[in-house]
Each structure stands twice: as C-alpha cells, then as structure tokens.
Amino acid sequence: MIRAPTKVGPSRRPQMRRPRSATLQPGMTEVPRPRHRRRAHSSTRDLERYAGLFAERTKVMRSSAMRDLMAITARPEVISLAGGLPDTSTFPPESYAALMQTVATESCARALQYGPTEGFEETKDCIGEVMAAEGMLPDPEDVIVTTGGQQAIDLVCKTLVDPGDVVVCEAPTYPGAVPVFCSYQADVVQIEVDEEGMRIDVLEDLLERLGREGRRPKFVYSVPSFQNPAGVTMSLERRVRLVELAAQHEMLVVEDNPYGLLRYEGEPLPPLYQLDGGDFVIYIGTFSKILSPGIRLGWAVAPPPVMEKIVLGKQAADLCTSTLTQYFVREYFSEGRWREYVSDLVGIYRRRRDVMLAALREHFPAEATWTEPEGGLFIWATLPDYLDTSDLLAKALRADVAFVPGQGAYVDGRGGSSMRLNFSGVNEDEIREGIRRIGIVIAEQVDLYEALASPPGTPVSSPGTPASSPGMPGREAEDMPVDGTQPSPGSDHSLIPSEPGEGRLGEDKGAGREDQGAGGEDQAPHSDAQGADVLPFRQAGEA
C-alpha cells in the first residue's frame, strides 16, 4: 500500500529514518553520523545567492501539470483521472516474474552492463514489429532507443531548437511537451484542433506569414492519432496535406504516436511517417502504453543527418537506455503474445471510455461539451467559460478526485475552462464515482456564479438547465468572474489569439488594446461566444 506523504507545515518537516544498525564486516570503518541537519536555505539572502547562479533558461522553465499531481494522486483514497496511466495491473505478475527470471538466468551479466547509445539491435527488432503493425518499415539505422518517449521529445528539441526558434504544435497539446519547448526557449505557436485534428488551413496561413518574415518553423509537433489531451484524430486528408507541406517547405514534422494501436472503433489511418517515407517526419514511439511505463523505453526514428545529432545528444544526457529493461522487452516479444496483450487492453479501455462518457452525460452540466475519442486514453471536457478548472481542481482534490486542468496543455494561458480526463488508469466503478464527485464540485460553482451574477431577488435556476446558462438561449452571457468583479486585462475570460486558430508563447493577452494594427501579430485577443478552448463535440444531455 502507498502511504500518504507526511504533511509539511511551517514548523514540521518530515523526519528521515535512522539507518538500522549493521554489523561491521572485517576491514570496514564505521561512518560517523552527521553533526547537524541541512538548514532550510529559505532566507532572502539564500534565494538571492542561488538565483544569481541559475542559467537564463530557468526563467522560462515550467513544471509539468501531470507531474505536479503525482504525489497527491498516489494517495490511495484519491481517484485519479489525471495521469496518462495505462492499467499495469492487467500485466500478469507470473509472466513478469518468468521473464525477469529468464533475463537473470540467461543474460544477467549483459543486462547489468552498459549498452550502446543507439540501443540493442534486438530492441530495434521489437520496435520494428510494433511499427510494422501500423504499416511502417523503418531502417534500423534510423532508430534510437530512448528513455521513454519523453526523452525523445527532449532530444529532438536539443538537436533542433535555438532560443527564439518557432515550434508549431496543436492547441491543446500534450502537457508533457510544454515544459520541454519552454526549457529550450522556443517561440511556440499553437494551432487549434477540431474533430479532424490540427487545422491545416490555419497552419498554411501561418507558414505564409512566417515566410514573409523570413522565418520558418524548426518543426511541427503533432499527436495525430487519439490526440493527447483532446482525444481527436487527424483525418486522412489533413495528414496527406501536412506531409505535402513538410516537403514543400522542407520543414520537419515530429509525429508522437503513443496510442496508435489503442483503437476502439473506426478504420486505422496511416501514420504520417508512413505517408512521408522518412524524409521530413521524425517519428516518436513508446512501450509505455502498450506494455509498461515503468520500463522507460521509447524510441525515435529520424533521417540519418538528424539521427547523428540526436545520438550525440543522448550520449551527453545518459550514455544509454537501461539495458535491463531492453532485455526484458526482448524476452517479452520473443513469446510472440504482445499483440494479444494489446488486444486485451483495447477491450478494457473501450469499456472504461464508454463508462466515462455515460457518467459525463449524467453528472456534468448541460452546457458542458466533451470529445468522444475513437481510441487512446483521454477525453477533453470543456465547461462554461466562467469556470476555472485550476480552481476546480483545488476543490476536487478536497473531494479526493483529480484531473488535469486545461491550461497545462497551452503555452499562452488558454484552456482555463477545460480539463483532461483519463479513463484507462482506474476501474469502472472509480470512473463513475470520480465523475460524480467532479460533477458535484462543478454544480456548486455554477450555483455560486448564478447567485453572484443574478440581480437581487432573481430566482436562481438549477445548474445544468440550458436556458439558465451564460451563452445559452434565454439569457444574455455575462463575462464576469465568480467573485463578482470585472475581468481584468489579460484574464482568462478573453483568451482567443488575434490570428484565427493561433496562440503564441509570451504573447500579450490584454483585452481592449488599440495600439496594434489590425491583423498584426501582437494584436490583442478577442472574446468569442464559443470560448477560447471549446471543441465542438458532444454536449451534455445528448445521446
């Protein structure tokens, strides 16, 4: 059982356990105990001393929305719909024990040794099997084994991005990519998604504008299949056009495809890498979602000149990926049952997705919308724009339920009324209960808003009634925070960027500015009846 972390207050710090006394062996010397504990280093002088040593890039570093929640969601009483967690309890313990026993018996010394930076050829063979299941045949020389897919994203940025370089991604985008882009000081431009994935027409407009400025993106980052966090899938037409644009502009596309094999309905679509053939698409994959995230094994496939630099970057980062887990994967694939296990996961996750969709229809307000993914692990839900999901999370955690607030998937402050919900990591009963608890928290906040926004003596309608909701027929929308004050410039109540479908890192989001020309890159955002982060999908109450 995972124990709850010790509460830390101003006068209380967690106590470290004293090491158990051990009998000294001949020739060993007893190590003296430390004379004092480390002090807090929290004074103003301490902070100033260290701040002067930090690299400039630390000023733009951001934490990961998911990692911030991990310590809290590890508590057994918390129902976590936050992390992108596969259900590792589905992997048979006896199989794990047998596989590790085989590694220990047959390959112990080699599995405990360093390995090549690019990864073992046997691991690349396993990667080839996974990619072949989606119609791809990469050259093993173009493949590098990484410490999870997250390191692959980092290595691509390390290889390609200088401070100020343009990186294009979806809006919303994978929350784990946001801190990476920020760490390398990229100028991130996000392109909105709809039910067919990234708006390629908006991307074309962006490329033309950047071309006039003498700039081009270092790469376009996309999760085209069952996108994280929105759950949408890029249509075939848009995939083909994106690959054509990459060749036309000699622009790299980074395809992140962790969920491609987790399809629950519909026909498979070719990955971007298959359509491109390996000229302009860098492909990122992982074993985390089809086997286990704990083994920390991912990979990248890139054109040879790019791969050469990626290898140098990995040498400097960690020398090589764990040889022990590479041997584990080799033994697992040698059994020839990995496709069967993935098929079992698809059946489990499909049922959990359906349970979550039913729970959303039952417990979320009528004005809420959400996506209905054909695969993957996530549903993207959007609430009325007067609700802030970061505030909701704090209240939800008191009810022992967690989700990822939408702002973690944007670099420019949008997403304030959206949330990412994961349906793969907990069982069906926990999904129902978790959504019920979130629904209660939302209803309380809707009641509060209605009470504050209504004139004195006006009856407050029940939450979830469309006619009583801002922006719905029967009442004029009022763009007012729940505390009754007027929204301040730059607040999350008007966060749609000036260029249709685009948002830029560091862009001034102040409202009502008149010092920018029409259509200018820095033009102020404007309000929209749909809200900045609304995806036009299933609404509460619809069958």
Side-chain angles (χ1 to χ4, degrees):
M1 179 180 291
I2 301 174
R3 298 184 181 274
T6 305
K7 292 184 178 179
V8 181
S11 60
R12 182 180 180 185
R13 297 176 58 192
Q15 299 297 313
M16 295 179 63
R17 291 182 178 179
R18 292 184 178 274
R20 296 177 179 176
S21 58
T23 304
L24 294 177
Q25 300 298 319
M28 294 179 63
T29 303
E30 184 174 2
V31 178
R33 292 187 182 279
R35 295 182 179 274
H36 60 82
R37 298 180 63 84
R38 178 187 62 78
R39 60 189 180 86
H41 290 93
S42 57
S43 69
T44 301
R45 178 69 188 109
D46 285 326
L47 298 178
E48 291 175 348
R49 180 188 301 118
Y50 292 113
L53 302 174
F54 293 147
E56 186 70 19
R57 60 181 169 273
T58 61
K59 295 180 180 179
V60 294
M61 285 183 175
R62 294 173 56 165
S63 62
S64 166
M66 298 94 64
R67 306 311 302 178
D68 289 343
L69 288 169
M70 286 299 289
I72 296 173
T73 57
R75 302 197 319 243
E77 70 272 18
V78 174
I79 298 175
S80 177
L81 308 178
L85 305 179
D87 189 349
T88 51
S89 69
T90 58
F91 195 87
E94 60 274 13
S95 296
Y96 176 80
L99 291 167
M100 293 304 290
Q101 181 61 47
T102 301
V103 172
T105 302
E106 300 179 3
S107 313
C108 182
R110 295 190 298 276
L112 297 176
Q113 190 54 270
Y114 290 114
T117 300
E118 297 87 342
F120 290 116
E121 292 302 317
E122 295 88 344
T123 309
K124 293 184 180 183
D125 290 341
C126 301
I127 291 169
E129 281 192 51
V130 175
M131 295 184 67
E134 292 193 78
M136 296 172 281
L137 297 173
D139 188 320
E141 294 297 315
D142 297 343
V143 179
I144 185 170
V145 182
T146 59
T147 306
Q150 186 72 21
Q151 186 188 51
I153 299 173
D154 184 85
L155 290 173
V156 168
C157 289
K158 178 187 286 188
T159 301
L160 299 175
V161 179
D162 287 319
D165 282 345
V166 176
V167 169
V168 179
C169 63
E170 292 144 335
T173 191
Y174 165 48
V178 171
V180 183
F181 299 154
C182 292
S183 294
Y184 288 96
Q185 300 169 278
D187 181 7
V188 182
V189 182
Q190 292 190 261
I191 304 294
E192 69 180 34
V193 302
D194 59 20
E195 65 273 12
E196 295 186 37
M198 180 187 286
R199 289 275 306 277
I200 304 301
D201 59 326
V202 177
L203 174 63
E204 291 189 65
D205 293 341
L206 171 67
L207 294 176
E208 290 182 9
R209 178 159 56 87
L210 290 174
R212 292 194 298 269
E213 299 170 1
R215 308 172 72 195
R216 67 174 179 174
K218 280 298 182 72
F219 60 84
V220 175
Y221 172 80
S222 175
V223 185
S225 297
F226 320 124
Q227 197 249 12
N228 179 359
V232 298
T233 294
M234 187 182 292
S235 65
L236 177 59
E237 180 182 358
R238 291 188 183 180
R239 291 175 188 237
V240 170
R241 183 56 184 151
L242 177 55
V243 169
E244 289 174 349
L245 286 173
Q248 177 183 335
H249 293 269
E250 295 190 341
M251 170 187 69
L252 291 173
V253 173
V254 178
E255 177 181 23
D256 195 356
N257 188 31
Y259 320 106
L261 293 175
L262 300 178
R263 174 175 283 277
Y264 314 136
E265 58 192 41
E267 294 299 321
L269 294 173
L272 301 176
Y273 182 86
Q274 180 185 353
L275 296 172
D276 169 72
D279 292 325
F280 295 101
V281 173
I282 298 174
Y283 182 90
I284 294 176
T286 180
F287 290 105
S288 293
K289 304 306 186 286
I290 61 172
L291 178 53
S292 159
I295 61 175
R296 306 307 304 133
L297 278 187
W299 67 90
V301 187
V306 179
M307 180 54 64
E308 179 183 354
K309 302 300 183 183
I310 290 177
V311 171
L312 294 177
K314 182 169 174 61
Q315 287 176 356
D318 64 356
L319 302 181
C320 65
T321 298
S322 168
T323 54
L324 180 61
T325 55
Q326 288 189 69
Y327 270 89
F328 172 80
V329 167
R330 184 186 72 174
E331 295 301 329
Y332 172 67
F333 272 73
S334 70
E335 293 185 336
R337 294 185 296 177
W338 73 272
R339 294 293 297 270
E340 179 182 344
Y341 179 62
V342 172
S343 179
D344 290 342
L345 290 178
V346 166
I348 293 169
Y349 297 162
R350 179 191 295 114
R351 291 191 296 273
R352 293 180 181 180
R353 177 206 60 175
D354 293 344
V355 166
M356 180 171 282
L357 290 172
L360 288 169
R361 288 191 288 269
E362 181 177 357
H363 297 294
F364 270 37
E367 56 268 48
T369 60
W370 52 82
T371 55
E372 295 197 356
E374 294 183 338
L377 307 182
F378 305 106
I379 291 172
W380 181 255
T382 300
L383 305 175
D385 60 6
Y386 56 82
L387 293 178
D388 187 316
T389 53
S390 295
D391 291 340
L392 282 177
L393 175 62
K395 296 174 175 64
L397 289 172
R398 290 196 285 270
D400 289 330
V401 63
F403 56 83
V404 173
Q407 284 187 333
Y410 290 87
V411 295
D412 57 6
R414 286 180 291 170
S417 61
S418 293
M419 63 176 70
R420 190 190 77 174
L421 299 165
N422 168 258
F423 53 79
S424 60
V426 296
N427 64 43
E428 295 173 19
D429 289 338
E430 289 176 311
I431 290 172
R432 294 187 187 95
E433 177 61 18
I435 295 297
R436 186 190 71 84
R437 294 180 189 180
I438 296 173
I440 290 173
V441 173
I442 294 172
E444 291 171 349
Q445 296 307 297
V446 171
D447 279 345
L448 177 60
Y449 175 83
E450 296 266 345
L452 292 174
S454 300
T458 301
V460 178
S461 302
S462 300
T465 304
S468 66
S469 303
M472 300 295 289
R475 177 174 172 182
E476 183 178 355
E478 297 172 339
D479 192 14
M480 183 185 296
V482 295
D483 62 3
T485 61
Q486 293 299 319
S488 60
S491 71
D492 289 339
H493 295 275
S494 59
L495 288 172
I496 296 184
S498 56
E499 293 292 339
E502 294 178 26
R504 183 181 296 278
L505 175 62
E507 190 174 49
D508 189 339
K509 298 180 285 298
R513 291 175 54 190
E514 299 177 354
D515 56 333
Q516 257 60 0
E521 183 173 316
D522 295 324
Q523 185 178 348
H526 59 276
S527 183
D528 189 292
Q530 290 294 324
D533 47 328
V534 171
L535 295 175
F537 301 111
R538 184 77 63 188
Q539 189 165 4
E542 295 185 7

